[in-house]
Amino acid sequence: MAIMRCTNISKSYGINEVITNINFIVEAHDRIGIVGNNGCGKSTLLNVIAGKLDHDSGDIMIASGLSIGYLEQNTVISSENTLWEEMINEYGDIMELEKQLRSIETRISELGSRGEVDNELFDQYEKVRIEYENKNGYAYESTVRKTLDGLGFTKDDYDRAISKFSGGQKNKINLAKILQKKPDLLLLDEPTNYLDIPSCEWLEDYLKSYDRSVIAVSHDRYFLNGFVNKIFEIHDCTLDAYNGDYDNFIKMKEEKRKQLEKDYIIQQREIDRLMNIIEVQKQRNTEKSVKIASSKEKMLERIKVIEKPKRQAKMRLDFKLQSESSNIVIKTDNVIQDFDGKKIFGNINISIKKGEKVALIGPNGSGKTTLLKILAGILQPSAGEVIYGRRMALNYLSQERTDLNFENTLMDEIWSVDTSLKQGEIRNLLSYFLFVGDDVFKKVSTLSGGELIRLSFAKLVISKANLLLLDEPTNHLDIPSKEIIEDATSRYKGTVLFVSHDRYFINKLADRVLELEDGKITEYLGNYSYYVDKKRRLNNMESGDTSPHVMGKTERANIFKRERDEINERKAARQKLKDLENLIEAAEDEIKTLEGKMADPSLYQDDYLARETVLRYNQLKTDLDEYYKQWEELMEP
């Protein structure tokens, strides 16, 4: 059953069109994810649906009595209430019924003490009790506790004033307030922006079992895979709808693009055929040929021309390392960190090997950024030691963007890392990170949060470091920008240790996961999916859910062997990718050298040498095509 129907909705700001003639239907129990580049109109559409923004044209039909809850981005909550008071105040109608029940109970008790009975009072009590029960009055405090607990608030937070919470925590409070209202249509604008991984997982589970409709704008691909059944993509002021989760959307979108390419080629051939007929018939200049030409021109006019599909050009990003590090790149020896007498973590012992990509995860406040800063040498540990491997060259990407000079232009900022780069090389580098044209002359201070991250990453590319420490590298990025950072990180030949809440990013890149929780590190020998599965199995074993099955020594050995085999396979794939990139680089260098020789007329004075040079050149071109083909296959997700 449809609860909302939007027909030909358009919205513009002055001369800038944002959405134009978009159409869609929201069914009961739909779970819809809205995706698109930053600035494409996702939040505008949510504001229009929520009635907070007027649309220029079109119709929105809403089911009678439909309640809508809307979590906007960065909504400031201002209140002197405590967290508990703020949450409980959402249940004013239930608390009023509760007061009525207590009042009636008192009166009934007073009458009973005198041996009197008032049947009308009993009837009134029963009427209020049923209404209270229908509104889930007996469970509302439990609902509040579960919601706050799921979003990472502790009991100690209940009595804190709202004004004492951080901006991110206030956003979570807004989310909690909206969720507990259980509206018929829940609108969420980037709900996972300020959530750590446990809170994201809780929210996904909550939305999976939500018995009403949800529309969520999100750049969190793991989240979109977790619960949505439709994807709306906004691009070029239009909206395309796809059934399924995010991964299915990517697959269907690529199939659609390929079909459009075929249709475009077929149509272009038909247009060329008609134009050739028209030209030939006009040249004949007979009465019959003129009629034929006129007929074909009318056919040509009736063709609805397919615009040539845009195809993202693939660019090979080349990280140059200053040197190869030793096998052990960095490790810690019983590192402890205290703040104001409170232990953040203790006896941390980790070891990162050359070429590994390791994710450091954990709840907000567990000390991940602190540990990363200790490893980067920015903070000194309270006790213990950080040991660096030989020939280690480190670069650190902070959340605070402390690596940037905000008075520089983008061009100058890149030059500050490597003055030998030519302007064309800098333009090519910046274009890879979506800075094109005159963008290179912008001041760093004018960039958005996502653009700052992309610029910082561009600087990492040319730093020649063989160890990267990355703190939330995909924060505030839209999906295309995240994919660029993923691509750049996956091609990087050095070692990476990164902190992230982006589960899709972790899943794609991590060979190993280190979880920092309750002041200690637990290691998981795989990506995020492996971490989730292994943790679930461990929890089941602790809770006894695996009984009566008891894992024997042989079974444990087999599981461990499979895990090691998977790790070795991933390492072998990484090594093959590295070898291919070396072959590509060598082939391209030799081709360039041969091209120089073939441009020299003196080469052709020696027939044998000229023939051998051309044969070698042609063979290298063939080999290079094959190397690229294999490289692209390995780079496929």
Side-chain angles (χ1 to χ4, degrees):
M1 181 186 75
I3 62 169
M4 176 178 287
R5 187 184 299 269
C6 294
T7 309
N8 295 326
I9 302 298
S10 297
K11 176 65 184 175
S12 61
Y13 295 103
I15 62 170
N16 296 319
E17 290 185 350
V18 181
I19 49 178
T20 305
N21 294 329
I22 66 171
N23 299 275
F24 62 87
I25 295 172
V26 181
E27 304 279 353
H29 310 299
D30 260 348
R31 292 170 174 80
I32 299 167
I34 301 181
V35 301
N37 294 357
N38 283 342
C40 71
K42 302 183 297 294
S43 294
T44 296
L45 179 59
L46 281 196
N47 276 312
V48 168
I49 292 171
K52 290 183 171 289
L53 190 64
D54 291 332
H55 51 289
D56 300 333
S57 60
D59 297 307
I60 300 178
M61 289 174 281
I62 298 174
S64 177
L66 185 81
S67 59
I68 297 177
Y70 181 25
L71 176 74
E72 299 180 69
Q73 273 198 70
N74 305 317
T75 305
V76 177
I77 179 172
S78 178
S79 172
E80 290 307 314
N81 287 332
T82 64
L83 173 60
W84 183 257
E85 289 167 346
E86 190 71 17
M87 296 295 291
I88 289 295
N89 284 350
E90 296 295 315
Y91 295 95
D93 55 341
I94 293 178
M95 289 192 289
E96 183 56 38
L97 291 172
E98 202 168 47
K99 284 180 184 177
Q100 290 180 37
L101 287 174
R102 300 294 85 80
S103 175
I104 295 170
E105 285 169 356
T106 300
R107 288 162 61 193
I108 289 172
S109 177
E110 289 172 352
L111 288 171
S113 65
R114 298 197 298 267
E116 300 176 17
V117 175
D118 186 335
N119 289 329
E120 287 186 10
L121 200 57
F122 274 110
D123 291 341
Q124 183 184 352
Y125 180 83
E126 186 62 13
K127 182 181 177 182
V128 175
R129 188 196 63 77
I130 290 171
E131 185 179 358
Y132 181 78
E133 190 174 296
N134 289 341
K135 290 189 174 183
N136 207 25
Y138 293 108
Y140 77 96
E141 289 191 357
S142 173
T143 299
V144 171
R145 290 190 184 94
K146 285 180 181 176
T147 305
L148 292 176
D149 182 56
L151 290 174
F153 293 102
T154 66
K155 289 182 179 178
D156 292 339
D157 292 323
Y158 288 5
D159 294 325
R160 283 179 66 192
I162 297 295
S163 57
K164 301 296 183 183
F165 287 96
S166 68
Q169 288 173 315
K170 288 177 181 177
N171 270 8
K172 288 205 294 184
I173 294 168
N174 273 327
L175 175 60
K177 288 172 66 177
I178 289 164
L179 291 180
Q180 66 181 10
K181 288 179 182 177
K182 292 197 172 180
D184 300 318
L185 176 59
L186 187 58
L187 305 177
L188 304 174
D189 198 350
E190 294 292 356
T192 63
N193 262 5
Y194 296 94
L195 302 184
D196 56 17
I197 288 177
S199 298
C200 283
E201 290 172 342
W202 176 87
L203 180 60
E204 275 171 25
D205 289 339
Y206 179 91
L207 294 175
K208 280 177 189 175
S209 60
Y210 194 68
D211 60 354
R212 298 161 202 199
S213 301
V214 183
I215 301 178
V217 167
S218 183
H219 294 140
D220 185 335
R221 294 157 295 174
Y222 208 95
F223 176 72
L224 291 170
N225 274 338
F227 80 98
V228 306
N229 66 341
K230 290 179 184 176
I231 293 286
F232 288 173
E233 183 192 24
I234 300 179
H235 65 98
D236 302 322
C237 301
T238 64
L239 183 147
D240 291 332
Y242 298 83
N243 288 324
D245 61 13
Y246 180 79
D247 282 347
N248 192 60
F249 150 70
I250 292 297
K251 181 182 175 183
M252 291 175 69
K253 185 180 176 183
E254 179 60 16
E255 289 173 358
K256 182 179 177 181
R257 186 195 62 75
K258 286 179 179 177
Q259 185 58 52
L260 198 60
E261 272 188 350
K262 290 177 184 176
D263 293 344
Y264 171 78
I265 291 167
I266 291 168
Q267 188 186 73
Q268 287 299 306
R269 286 174 183 164
E270 177 63 10
I271 289 171
D272 289 343
R273 187 184 73 83
L274 291 172
M275 289 180 72
N276 287 333
I277 292 172
I278 291 166
E279 187 178 351
V280 169
Q281 295 301 326
K282 282 185 175 180
Q283 286 175 356
R284 288 180 179 172
N285 200 26
T286 65
E287 184 179 348
K288 185 177 180 181
S289 67
V290 169
K291 284 182 179 178
I292 293 172
S294 177
S295 172
K296 298 302 180 185
E297 282 177 336
K298 287 175 182 175
M299 288 176 65
L300 201 58
E301 288 170 3
R302 287 195 295 270
I303 291 175
K304 189 176 180 181
V305 178
I306 298 171
E307 188 177 342
K308 187 176 182 179
K310 296 174 183 175
R311 191 166 192 173
Q312 185 79 30
K314 285 190 177 180
M315 178 178 173
R316 191 166 73 90
L317 189 65
D318 192 13
F319 281 89
K320 299 285 187 184
L321 301 186
Q322 182 175 312
S323 60
E324 289 277 341
S325 67
S326 56
N327 189 45
I328 300 297
V329 181
I330 190 169
K331 65 179 182 178
T332 62
D333 182 16
N334 291 324
V335 164
I336 297 171
Q337 186 62 45
D338 298 331
F339 279 128
D340 296 329
K342 180 182 177 183
K343 182 172 282 190
I344 306 301
F345 47 74
N347 292 68
I348 299 296
N349 292 287
I350 60 173
S351 179
I352 310 296
K353 294 181 180 178
K354 181 171 69 175
E356 281 192 309
K357 292 182 171 66
V358 181
L360 177 61
I361 68 172
N364 286 341
S366 59
K368 302 183 297 296
T369 293
T370 299
L371 179 56
L372 214 60
K373 285 182 176 179
I374 288 171
L375 295 175
I378 296 168
L379 288 178
Q380 289 299 312
S382 303
E385 183 185 7
V386 178
I387 303 162
Y388 301 103
R390 288 177 293 109
R391 301 181 301 280
M392 189 276 296
L394 178 154
N395 211 328
Y396 170 59
L397 180 74
S398 73
Q399 288 193 57
E400 295 84 13
R401 307 281 78 81
T402 53
D403 58 310
L404 299 174
N405 182 340
F406 283 74
E407 293 306 309
N408 273 344
T409 65
L410 275 64
M411 184 81 73
D412 291 334
E413 192 65 13
I414 298 299
W415 259 323
S416 71
V417 181
D418 188 347
T419 54
S420 69
L421 290 174
K422 296 175 182 176
Q423 189 174 118
E425 291 174 318
I426 294 177
R427 280 184 174 276
N428 285 338
L429 172 68
L430 289 173
S431 70
Y432 180 86
F433 290 97
L434 305 182
F435 299 110
V436 296
D438 290 340
D439 288 348
V440 300
F441 302 116
K442 284 181 176 178
K443 273 200 166 187
V444 176
S445 58
T446 66
L447 301 183
S448 67
E451 288 172 328
L452 291 173
I453 293 173
R454 297 206 308 266
L455 178 61
S456 290
F457 230 88
K459 291 179 67 178
L460 288 182
V461 169
I462 57 172
S463 69
K464 298 183 181 179
N466 54 32
L467 171 62
L468 299 183
L469 303 178
L470 311 177
D471 197 356
E472 296 290 356
T474 61
N475 258 11
H476 308 294
L477 296 183
D478 57 16
I479 291 173
S481 298
K482 287 183 178 184
E483 288 171 345
I484 286 168
I485 301 302
E486 277 168 11
D487 181 60
T489 309
S490 67
R491 297 183 193 203
Y492 177 61
K493 300 170 187 175
T495 307
V496 184
L497 175 63
F498 62 95
V499 168
S500 182
H501 290 143
D502 187 335
R503 294 163 294 167
Y504 199 96
F505 183 78
I506 299 168
N507 212 38
K508 192 165 183 181
L509 293 174
D511 308 308
R512 196 154 50 104
V513 173
L514 301 177
E515 183 181 38
L516 179 57
E517 189 172 20
D518 298 328
K520 61 185 180 181
I521 289 278
T522 306
E523 180 184 39
Y524 297 86
L525 301 175
N527 63 6
Y528 183 76
S529 293
Y530 172 83
Y531 155 78
V532 170
D533 181 62
K534 186 65 178 281
K535 196 164 185 179
R536 176 184 55 78
R537 282 189 281 144
L538 289 172
N539 288 339
N540 286 344
M541 289 173 69
E542 287 176 7
S543 63
D545 287 352
T546 55
S547 59
H549 173 69
V550 177
M551 195 179 293
K553 185 177 179 181
T554 302
E555 187 176 355
R556 283 198 303 272
N558 288 337
I559 289 173
F560 181 75
K561 183 179 182 300
R562 282 199 303 272
E563 291 170 355
R564 296 306 307 179
D565 287 344
E566 287 173 7
I567 292 167
N568 289 334
E569 283 175 13
R570 287 196 294 274
K571 284 183 177 178
R574 276 205 317 276
Q575 185 58 48
K576 188 175 180 181
L577 187 66
K578 185 176 180 180
D579 292 342
L580 275 170
E581 287 176 342
N582 289 336
L583 287 170
I584 287 168
E585 187 173 354
E588 287 178 338
D589 288 345
E590 191 175 350
I591 285 170
K592 192 174 180 181
T593 301
L594 291 176
E595 285 173 344
K597 288 181 179 180
M598 289 189 295
D600 184 353
S602 65
L603 171 71
Y604 303 98
Q605 294 174 7
D606 185 332
D607 289 342
Y608 175 78
L609 184 59
R611 186 169 58 254
E612 288 298 310
T613 301
V614 171
L615 285 171
R616 177 60 179 163
Y617 177 79
N618 290 334
Q619 183 60 51
L620 281 169
K621 294 285 281 187
T622 302
D623 290 347
L624 188 60
D625 288 341
E626 180 60 28
Y627 296 154
Y628 268 119
K629 183 180 175 183
Q630 292 179 36
W631 180 84
E632 286 181 357
E633 287 173 359
L634 283 173
M635 289 300 292
E636 287 291 323

